[in-house]
C-alpha cells in the first residue's frame, strides 16, 4: 500500500433549510461526516507504521436575512473532539529514528457573518 494513502475515504453531509415565518428569515442546519480508512506511514506496511482509521463530524447553523442579503453562522469543527492520529513521519537512522505524529485539530467553535451588497 502506498504510504499515507488510506484504503478508503467516505464523506457525507445532510442539510435542512427552513423558512422562519413571514419575516423573510431562513435557517440552514448542516452536519458533515468524514471517515478515513487505515493507512501506513512508510513503504514497509508494517504494523508499527499503521495509522488507524478515524472519523470527524462538523456542524453548523446559519441564519439568513430577507432575500439572503446577510447571514450569521455558528459552526463547530471536530464536534466530538477526536484526537486521532492522521499521519506519521519517521526519521531515518542518522536522526535517531524519531517519530512525529500528526493529529486532528481539536474541537473549534466559530462565528461567521456576511453581507451581500
Amino acid at each position: 500500500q502506498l504510504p499515507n494513502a488510506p484504503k478508503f475515504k467516505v464523506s457525507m453531509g445532510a442539510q435542512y433549510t427552513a423558512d422562519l415565518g413571514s419575516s423573510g428569515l431562513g435557517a440552514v442546519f448542516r452536519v458533515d461526516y468524514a471517515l478515513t480508512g487505515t493507512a501506513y506511514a512508510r513503504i514497509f506496511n508494517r504494523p508499527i507504521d499503521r495509522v488507524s482509521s478515524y472519523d470527524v463530524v462538523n456542524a453548523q447553523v446559519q441564519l439568513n436575512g430577507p432575500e439572503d442579503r446577510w447571514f450569521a453562522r455558528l459552526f463547530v469543527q471536530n464536534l466530538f473532539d477526536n484526537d486521532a492520529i492522521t499521519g506519521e513521519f519517521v526519521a531515518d537512522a542518522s536522526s535517531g529514528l524519531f517519530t512525529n505524529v500528526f493529529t486532528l485539530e481539536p474541537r473549534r467553535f466559530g462565528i461567521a457573518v456576511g453581507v451581500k451588497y
Side-chain angles (χ1 to χ4, degrees), residues 61-82:
V61 176
Q62 179 170 305
L63 179 65
N64 295 324
E67 299 178 14
D68 291 332
R69 301 284 294 166
W70 57 267
F71 72 88
R73 179 184 310 136
L74 299 173
F75 65 87
V76 58
Q77 294 178 323
N78 194 1
L79 180 65
F80 299 113
D81 203 21
N82 188 347

Side-chain angles (χ1 to χ4, degrees), residues 25-92:
L25 297 175
V28 180
F29 304 90
R30 182 169 180 87
V31 176
D32 293 290
Y33 174 79
L35 173 63
T36 302
T38 302
Y40 288 91
R42 297 187 298 170
I43 61 172
F44 308 112
N45 292 335
R46 300 179 72 177
I48 196 166
D49 298 323
R50 185 173 186 266
V51 177
S52 298
S53 64
Y54 61 93
D55 59 358
V56 65
V57 177
N58 300 321
Q60 64 182 8
V61 176
Q62 179 170 305
L63 179 65
N64 295 324
E67 299 178 14
D68 291 332
R69 301 284 294 166
W70 57 267
F71 72 88
R73 179 184 310 136
L74 299 173
F75 65 87
V76 58
Q77 294 178 323
N78 194 1
L79 180 65
F80 299 113
D81 203 21
N82 188 347
D83 62 354
I85 293 173
T86 62
E88 297 178 1
F89 171 76
V90 181
D92 63 21

Side-chain angles (χ1 to χ4, degrees), residues 98-115:
F98 68 86
T99 300
N100 286 339
V101 296
F102 307 101
T103 62
L104 286 172
E105 291 186 23
R107 182 184 308 131
R108 192 168 43 156
F109 298 92
I111 299 172
V113 294
V115 177

